[in-house]
Amino acid sequence: MTAHPPFRKVLDGVATREQMFQLFSRHKDTPGIDLLSGTPYSGEWFQITASEYHFMLDLLPPLFMRTGMFGMSEFKAGNVTSVFFAIRIRGRERWFHGFCDLADRQSPDKMRAAIIAHETGASDSMTRAEKLEAIWNMTRQGPARTPMAYSTYTASLGAPDRRQYRRTPPGALTVADLVRPGDTVATSYSTGGVVIEVEEHFYAAPTGETLSHFTIVYVPPDRTTRYRDSDRRWINECVAIGDRILMLFEANTDEVFVLSRARPSQPPRSRTIPADGPFQSRVRALAAEGDRGSREGQGDYRRTPRPAG
């Protein structure tokens, strides 16, 4: 009996975007299966294009991200979510999607190994040791290591938490001070857009502390004036350290950069008095009235008879 669920390739060739979305829901009309658990999807995988890989990376903030792999933060059902892979096989970069059950924390690595074994022919006639050797040679990566918790979610799944967190010092600038709605931001993993909200949240850490962190909500730059809920994207667990925006868990090396600041919605009021403003008009009217009164007073003075000597 295998220690992991069987991994199944469900499409020959490379999926188009339309085919990819069809495969995301291919069991929706299948009678007699438990869709709420996500089990029918778990273990299924297929090849996609580079553009679809990057499209999905930019669609939502990743649940997790490692070299050549990221998971979607929106789960299919139960503990099953989409994991996308960029794998170099026989000297050529290729991209894949698979449904992994994160109840098994090693399922993304197992699926990656299964994909490589299948695509290199290692799944057909090689022994287990030979398959492992083939995977090592094709990817040039070391043995799998137990991943450390790098987010509150992965910690809740049971990943080892070293309890090493980033904290904004008291009185220092927070994320809400460093980035504001209208600013354009980018991440170290090549996503980003125009900020529409900055929200503060709190994490009850196992150290007994309540740690502040922020979520930056953004939309694509071409949707800033009119955007839908589906355009909203999130950068979670952000913490300000000096003038940098880093992540709450020290194990997470992601960073957020502010590329440009929002322009003021209205130009600042000028501190000078406009030449033709209402105040200036009133000043000129008063000056004219005073000048007229002065001339009239001078006329009366000249018409006043001098007293008889």
Side-chain angles (χ1 to χ4, degrees):
M1 180 176 179
T2 59
H4 57 76
F7 297 104
R8 309 173 300 284
K9 186 175 185 179
V10 295
L11 178 75
D12 289 328
V14 182
T16 65
R17 181 170 300 186
E18 181 180 5
Q19 290 172 325
M20 178 178 72
F21 280 103
Q22 289 173 348
L23 290 169
F24 284 170
S25 302
R26 78 190 199 97
H27 293 295
K28 66 178 181 179
D29 297 322
T30 304
I33 61 174
D34 180 15
L35 291 178
L36 296 179
S37 68
T39 302
Y41 292 94
S42 179
E44 295 186 342
W45 64 271
F46 53 90
Q47 187 173 348
I48 59 175
T49 65
S51 61
E52 306 318 320
Y53 178 93
H54 293 291
F55 172 80
M56 296 304 295
L57 176 61
D58 199 41
L59 188 63
L60 288 173
L63 173 65
F64 67 86
M65 189 169 187
R66 305 205 298 272
T67 301
M69 180 193 304
F70 72 90
M72 291 292 286
S73 56
E74 184 175 294
F75 279 58
K76 181 65 183 177
N79 291 317
V80 176
T81 194
S82 291
V83 178
F84 293 83
F85 304 88
I87 307 173
R88 181 170 293 276
I89 299 176
R90 302 193 189 281
R92 185 165 63 93
E93 194 83 6
R94 296 167 64 184
W95 298 267
F96 301 87
H97 164 273
F99 281 115
C100 294
D101 188 342
L102 298 187
D104 177 2
R105 298 197 305 273
Q106 296 181 355
S107 62
D109 295 311
K110 292 176 180 178
M111 173 165 281
R112 184 177 185 277
I115 292 172
I116 296 170
H118 184 280
E119 295 301 298
T120 59
S123 59
D124 297 329
S125 58
M126 294 184 180
T127 66
R128 181 177 182 277
E130 289 170 336
K131 291 176 184 180
L132 294 175
E133 181 66 18
I135 292 169
W136 165 261
N137 291 333
M138 298 307 298
T139 60
R140 298 183 182 276
Q141 292 195 5
R145 293 178 297 176
T146 302
M148 303 302 296
Y150 48 84
S151 67
T152 58
Y153 181 78
T154 54
S156 70
L157 290 178
D161 185 353
R162 288 186 285 184
R163 303 188 178 190
Q164 296 176 355
Y165 314 107
R166 295 185 177 96
R167 304 166 179 80
T168 300
L173 295 177
T174 68
V175 172
D177 298 314
L178 297 179
V179 60
R180 298 178 181 178
D183 292 351
T184 300
V185 299
T187 66
S188 55
Y189 47 90
S190 303
T191 65
V194 178
V195 177
I196 58 173
E197 296 177 35
V198 181
E199 308 166 342
E200 186 175 15
H201 301 277
F202 297 93
Y203 173 54
T207 58
E209 302 171 273
T210 300
L211 303 176
S212 168
H213 58 91
F214 290 79
T215 293
I216 298 173
V217 187
Y218 69 93
V219 296
D222 59 346
R223 297 294 184 91
T224 54
T225 55
R226 294 184 63 183
Y227 58 85
R228 300 170 294 180
D229 285 345
S230 59
D231 295 320
R232 296 164 64 95
R233 301 167 190 181
W234 297 264
I235 310 172
N236 295 315
E237 300 181 13
C238 300
V239 176
I241 303 296
D243 60 353
R244 300 175 66 188
I245 301 176
L246 304 174
M247 301 297 112
L248 177 64
F249 279 63
E250 290 188 0
N252 189 336
T253 59
D254 295 341
E255 186 168 358
V256 180
F257 308 98
V258 180
L259 301 182
S260 63
R261 296 292 181 185
R263 294 182 178 180
S265 57
Q266 294 181 346
R269 293 185 176 182
S270 173
R271 295 182 179 271
T272 60
I273 299 173
D276 295 322
F279 177 78
Q280 197 70 7
S281 300
R282 178 61 176 160
V283 170
R284 286 198 296 271
L286 290 173
E289 183 179 342
D291 185 56
R292 184 170 60 253
S294 175
R295 288 197 301 272
E296 290 174 355
Q298 290 176 0
D300 292 341
Y301 174 79
R302 287 194 297 269
R303 288 195 297 271
T304 301
R306 297 176 65 183

